[in-house]
Amino acid sequence: MTRINQNSYERLIDENEIRIDGRKLDELRPINIEVGILTNAYGSALLHHGKNKILAAVFGPRELHPRHLALPDRALVRCEYRMTTFSVEERKSPAPSRREIELSKVIRESLEPAIFTHLYPRTSVDVFIEVLQADGGTRCDGITAASTALADAGVPLRDLVVACAVGKVEGHILLDLDDIEDKKGEADMPIAILPRNKEVTLLQMDGQLSREEFQRALDLAIKGCEQIHEMQKEALRKKYSEIQEEVLEELNEFSEKEENQD
Ligand code: CDP
């Protein structure tokens, strides 16, 4: 959320309220979500969002190591958000940065309210988020990808968690800031919600908004989250309808063989 001298760039929003990448003020970047792409994880999701590419893998509920961390009444949720060295323009050091440690905590806290942890005492649910390519809003995409991967892993959830950022750039309230808008803008506000009851599990803000701007930004973020939530559900449905088709095909083959034997 680094701010940059406003004078060092040309305008990001033109007189027709069109953004530098051609989007309207309330438009999301193109999004594609795939689930179940890693065979070794219990659940996984790959999220393409504009230029962001984020991979999430979930392991658990499973036996917890080291055992002394075990919680007697619920599962321990652990989260690791990492940026690959090649994910940003300047090579990112492979050592965990303060930012990555902070984002791991923030993402874990935004996912945890959705998980029925009390069903799995003394176990762990481990969430790994790898940013393969970054262009602003990676904490939000990490949350969206991770909650889709949790659902893919079959972890019981109150709801999916879905996140997106809103902000203020050149006086306009914008949905889904990319890297340059995040850096040049006056304010940036990442938000995560449980869409069913609109419970907010993450709300951060860098910069300043008036009370009226805050309300408009929040409403816009919720609309953005609702759109992304539809894509999460669609990605999960797609995988399971493919599995259903495979199972039905196998059942058909099996019953044909049985009939031939009779
Ligand atoms: O990614 P997010 O907006 O959640 O977090 P941020 O700390 O506000 O970072 C904004 C953007 O800065 C990232 O998405 C990356 O595109 C970029 N960044 C970078 O270029 N180098 C870093 N070491 C960290 C972030």
Side-chain angles (χ1 to χ4, degrees):
M1 297 199 218
T2 327
R3 303 257 94 78
I4 284 179
N5 178 0
Q6 297 243 2
N7 302 324
S8 56
Y9 289 98
E10 8 173 309
R11 289 182 63 83
L12 293 179
I13 300 169
D14 73 14
E15 57 286 359
N16 300 317
E17 299 195 336
I18 298 296
R19 292 150 77 170
I20 207 156
D21 62 0
R23 280 187 290 156
K24 297 188 195 125
L25 303 182
D26 60 353
E27 196 175 334
L28 292 167
R29 290 172 281 180
I31 296 180
N32 183 54
I33 309 177
E34 277 175 83
V35 296
I37 50 157
L38 299 175
T39 47
N40 294 334
Y42 289 36
S44 57
L46 178 62
L47 174 63
H48 288 83
H49 179 193
K51 291 181 198 150
N52 284 344
K53 293 190 196 330
I54 317 275
L55 182 60
V58 167
F59 293 81
R62 64 178 176 180
E63 195 176 328
L64 173 62
H65 295 287
R67 287 191 180 200
H68 68 86
L69 293 178
L71 303 172
D73 58 339
R74 64 194 153 95
L76 176 72
V77 180
R78 294 186 287 196
C79 177
E80 206 177 288
Y81 161 102
R82 297 298 307 275
M83 280 186 130
T84 54
T85 49
F86 50 82
S87 60
V88 283
E89 251 174 65
E90 269 184 39
R91 178 181 177 275
K92 142 96 186 43
S93 155
S97 63
R98 285 171 59 120
R99 177 179 170 276
E100 286 168 306
I101 294 166
E102 182 207 323
L103 290 194
S104 300
K105 175 180 181 286
V106 162
I107 294 172
R108 174 176 56 72
E109 287 172 351
S110 70
L111 294 171
E112 215 168 346
I115 305 172
F116 285 106
T117 50
H118 67 281
L119 297 177
Y120 302 98
R122 312 196 68 77
T123 67
S124 71
V125 174
D126 294 302
V127 177
F128 299 94
I129 296 163
E130 288 290 328
V131 178
L132 306 175
Q133 190 167 282
D135 186 36
T138 61
R139 82 193 60 202
C140 292
D141 285 344
I143 292 166
T144 302
S147 87
T148 319
L150 281 164
D152 182 45
V155 175
L157 300 174
R158 288 185 177 84
D159 200 352
L160 288 163
V161 190
V162 54
C164 76
V166 274
K168 183 174 164 187
V169 177
E170 294 168 1
H172 298 277
I173 298 297
L174 297 190
L175 179 64
D176 188 17
L177 277 62
D178 64 16
D179 188 32
I180 185 87
E181 291 170 337
D182 176 319
K183 290 194 169 118
K184 186 183 171 187
E186 296 97 274
D188 166 34
M189 187 164 84
I191 291 172
I193 60 166
L194 305 183
R196 197 171 303 145
N197 60 5
K198 312 270 190 304
E199 192 181 323
V200 174
T201 64
L202 168 89
L203 198 157
Q204 295 182 295
M205 178 145 69
D206 185 30
Q208 286 189 344
L209 294 176
S210 69
R211 187 182 282 249
E212 182 271 327
E213 286 169 337
F214 172 80
Q215 192 53 53
R216 267 201 293 142
L218 184 62
D219 293 344
L220 191 56
I222 289 173
K223 277 195 193 134
C225 284
E226 282 169 345
Q227 290 175 46
I228 301 170
H229 181 225
E230 290 306 314
M231 297 179 220
Q232 283 178 305
K233 288 193 291 186
E234 191 47 44
L236 289 160
R237 254 188 237 121
K238 185 166 179 268
K239 175 180 166 186
Y240 288 97
S241 60
E242 279 167 12
I243 292 174
Q244 190 183 23
E245 272 170 31
E246 278 169 29
V247 171
L248 286 176
E249 250 171 53
E250 277 177 29
L251 278 176
N252 278 343
E253 275 173 32
F254 182 74
S255 45
E256 270 171 27
K257 267 188 206 158
E258 292 252 295
E259 273 171 25
N260 290 340
Q261 276 173 1
D262 288 344

